[in-house]
Amino acid sequence: MKPIFTNDWAGILHPEMEKPYYAELRRKLADEYRSGTVYPDMYRIFSAFHLTALADTRVVILGQDPYHGPNQAHGLSFSVQPGRSVPPSLDNIYRELRDDLGCEPVRHGFLESWAKQGVLLLNNVLTVRRGQAASHQGMGWETFTDAAIAAINERKQPALFILWGRSAQEKGSFIDAGRHLVLKAAHPSPRSADRGFFGSRPFSQANDFLREHGLPEIQWCLPAEPEPLREEGTTVI
């Protein structure tokens, strides 16, 4: 298989791609992309890892699976492509960001600037069928992303894990909370945000943690205009 990763994720994730479960996952994905519409575009499946190297990862925001509408998902959890409307969950994230740090909400949902600063925007499952949320659960992605989280957990350098909702919290059950900071709150979905997401102040807590450990803070306030969607050239299929 052609190498997918060119940064330090290669040493962690390329061995995963040699395992039998991943060979089966790859076969299923090839069938899915050939026979229907799957998001994100196959060239953007691993954008989170391309944009945020393992050594640079200071914060992890864990999502469930990609958005399943046209031209939304591009490989970063909670983020949508430039030019798309802001989804309800992300709108609630912006509301909390404003209340926490005073960042005025922007009119786009493109979070690449966070990824470039060391925020790994990782979904538990990296692909989805059009219009069918959670349709690729149980195919093998969970094992693959567990390996990524385990690699961050095992580093000496501490990281902050932001786990919104039960699914993310179950995914992060093996994180060493004695070495890393784990922030848990309700999911930002309109169905649950009022049950503990609003008022959780994750962004200021993240910067407090980073500052305490001598690490650069994240500039959470987003640019008013998004950068163009960058080209990706490596596919898993």
Side-chain angles (χ1 to χ4, degrees):
M1 182 188 301
K2 180 181 178 181
I4 301 292
F5 305 100
T6 58
N7 59 18
D8 56 359
W9 281 113
I12 303 298
L13 299 180
H14 282 154
E16 286 296 305
M17 291 178 165
E18 299 298 323
K19 296 180 179 179
Y21 85 87
Y22 192 86
E24 180 64 12
L25 169 61
R26 188 170 184 267
R27 184 191 67 75
K28 290 177 180 177
L29 287 174
D31 289 343
E32 291 270 331
Y33 275 94
R34 198 163 39 236
S35 62
T37 301
V38 176
Y39 300 126
D41 179 282
M42 67 174 68
Y43 291 98
R44 300 190 183 279
I45 293 173
F46 296 115
S47 290
F49 299 112
H50 296 324
L51 284 165
T52 311
L54 174 59
D56 295 335
T57 299
R58 289 174 279 150
V59 178
V60 179
I61 298 180
L62 187 61
Q64 296 180 23
D65 61 347
Y67 296 115
H68 52 82
N71 301 316
Q72 290 183 306
H74 63 102
L76 305 182
S77 63
F78 294 101
S79 181
V80 293
Q81 297 186 37
R84 308 306 296 175
S85 59
V86 178
S89 292
L90 184 54
D91 192 53
N92 284 338
I93 292 171
Y94 286 174
R95 176 177 161 185
E96 179 62 20
L97 180 58
R98 179 193 61 204
D99 293 345
D100 189 4
L101 293 179
C103 299
E104 287 301 318
V106 293
R107 297 172 64 99
H108 65 83
F110 191 56
L111 305 181
E112 189 173 291
S113 68
W114 291 358
K116 290 179 176 178
Q117 295 179 74
V119 180
L120 184 67
L121 295 166
L122 182 64
N123 279 313
N124 183 26
V125 174
L126 301 187
T127 55
V128 68
R129 289 189 206 113
R130 177 176 180 168
Q132 299 181 48
S135 51
H136 283 183
Q137 286 185 4
M139 285 177 55
W141 280 129
E142 295 89 344
T143 302
F144 186 82
T145 52
D146 272 352
I149 293 173
I152 301 167
N153 182 55
E154 292 164 6
R155 292 185 324 184
K156 291 183 178 180
Q157 179 179 304
L160 170 72
F161 292 83
I162 297 177
L163 308 180
W164 290 325
R166 184 176 62 184
S167 176
Q169 290 162 23
E170 291 175 351
K171 177 79 170 177
S173 61
F174 60 83
I175 296 168
D176 182 357
R179 186 149 41 93
H180 307 289
L181 179 60
V182 180
L183 299 181
K184 299 178 181 180
H187 194 276
S189 164
R191 296 190 298 272
S192 56
D194 287 325
R195 300 200 294 269
F197 174 75
F198 291 130
S200 59
R201 304 182 69 84
F203 307 103
S204 59
Q205 289 190 73
N207 280 350
D208 288 345
F209 172 81
L210 294 171
R211 192 164 51 248
E212 288 168 6
H213 288 85
L215 299 169
E217 298 179 19
I218 304 297
Q219 173 52 259
W220 294 105
C221 296
L222 292 160
E225 297 295 330
E227 297 181 16
L229 189 65
R230 73 194 199 104
E231 294 294 326
E232 295 282 7
T234 307
T235 176
V236 67
I237 305 303

